[in-house]
Amino acid sequence: MNIILLGPPGAGKGTQSQRLVEHHGMRQLSTGDMLRAAVKAGTPIGLKAKAVMERGELVSDAIVSELIDAELTAMGSDVGAIFDGYPRTAAQVEALDEILARHGRDLDHVIELEVDEDALVERISGRYSCANCGANYHDVFNQPVRNGTCDKCGAHEFKRRPDDNEETVRTRMREYRAKTTPILPGYESRGLVSRVDGMASIKEVTAALDDLLN
Ligand code: AP5
Ligand code: MG
Ligand code: ZN
């Protein structure tokens, strides 16, 4: 099974990917996470991407498609893929089609998380994650069971993203509207698109996705 999770910043792509990994034994391929790892490691890709990401603009199509290709090559062909935040442009849709064909994979679902943009700034400004394992949390909506301790790995260090400020979030949303929403009609005409209400609670969204995938 290979699925794409689409939705604007804060829609819940990362949160739901992590839950699908647990429920369905799939693998999350987040270009955002890959790029943040490259920035942290100071690789040539990271050096190029850092300022672009801090502005909230899109990194080049070639870079993200190479990252996805490399990740698919590294993982076994029997593991399902959740594409989180990729593809985001028409050129990336084309690249992904070519990459999937080369890896002998078919696309099963393109799932759009439908959200109300007004709620997204609140979601994003409350977001943080475990500095050790990357598990996602939120100040109000998704706190760890024990305050200050990661549920997954027990670590006590957390971090916030440098692009999670209001100005950058606005640019990220503009980029989504201008470059990513136009890829939906193409997938629609291939009969691949399903829509899930991303404004429901985290658990309810997961249940809707589980229904779709079972
Ligand atoms: P990326 O990391 O993909 O960021 P994004 O698309 O802006 O999306 P987010 O990660 O902010 O949101 P999310 O949907 O994952 O929400 P989350 O689950 O965390 O990309 C970052 C940058 O990298 C881009 O700006 C670009 O520069 C570059 N980039 C990445 N991919 C690229 C590509 N393909 N091409 C070019 N450039 C690329 O949820 C948010 C918060 O809300 C969390 O705290 C969560 O707990 C909470 N929450 C989630 N769901 C719910 C719910 N149902 N109810 C209440 N709270 C909820
Ligand atoms: Mg994310
Ligand atoms: Zn952790």
Side-chain angles (χ1 to χ4, degrees):
M1 180 104 76
N2 299 287
I3 68 170
I4 294 172
L5 279 187
L6 277 181
K13 304 181 295 290
T15 303
Q16 296 302 331
S17 295
Q18 290 186 355
R19 295 166 71 92
L20 292 177
V21 165
E22 284 163 21
H23 295 193
H24 300 271
M26 299 171 80
R27 178 80 157 267
Q28 175 189 12
L29 288 90
S30 160
T31 41
D33 288 349
M34 293 173 203
L35 290 166
R36 279 183 287 279
V39 169
K40 195 173 169 199
T43 65
I45 285 180
L47 294 176
K48 264 193 207 165
K50 186 169 187 283
V52 181
M53 292 173 78
E54 277 169 8
R55 288 196 301 272
E57 293 165 9
L58 293 184
V59 172
S60 87
D61 293 326
I63 286 181
V64 290
S65 297
E66 266 172 45
L67 288 171
I68 287 287
D69 197 4
E71 198 73 20
L72 281 174
T73 304
M75 68 192 243
S77 56
D78 50 339
V79 183
I82 307 163
F83 296 97
D84 161 6
Y86 178 91
R88 270 172 143 98
T89 65
Q92 291 178 29
V93 169
E94 246 181 72
L96 179 61
D97 282 341
E98 185 274 321
I99 290 167
L100 287 176
R102 198 152 28 76
H103 289 271
R105 288 172 178 268
D106 286 325
L107 203 49
D108 298 281
H109 296 283
V110 176
I111 303 167
E112 187 191 16
L113 294 171
E114 288 188 301
V115 283
D116 172 0
E117 276 200 15
D118 295 339
L120 300 182
V121 175
E122 190 192 7
R123 281 195 189 178
I124 287 176
S125 54
R127 169 171 59 190
Y128 61 98
S129 64
C130 172
N132 178 50
C133 76
N136 259 316
Y137 297 101
H138 189 279
D139 292 326
V140 180
F141 306 124
N142 187 18
Q143 296 166 291
V145 176
R146 282 178 53 212
N147 193 21
T149 305
C150 176
D151 294 341
K152 293 227 173 81
C153 75
H156 301 289
E157 299 265 329
F158 297 90
K159 59 181 189 210
R160 289 182 193 259
R161 278 168 48 175
D163 61 343
D164 279 353
N165 60 79
E166 196 167 336
E167 195 192 338
T168 306
V169 170
R170 288 235 171 78
T171 308
R172 284 157 58 197
M173 285 179 182
R174 255 200 317 274
E175 290 280 80
Y176 183 79
R177 264 185 255 119
K179 295 172 186 163
T180 308
T181 49
I183 71 176
L184 274 159
Y187 281 132
E188 203 121 39
S189 66
R190 290 158 66 178
L192 290 171
V193 177
S194 303
R195 295 197 163 79
V196 167
D197 176 14
M199 293 309 295
S201 72
I202 293 175
K203 271 191 183 161
E204 287 167 328
V205 176
T206 307
L209 292 171
D210 284 343
D211 274 354
L212 227 153
L213 302 188
N214 284 329

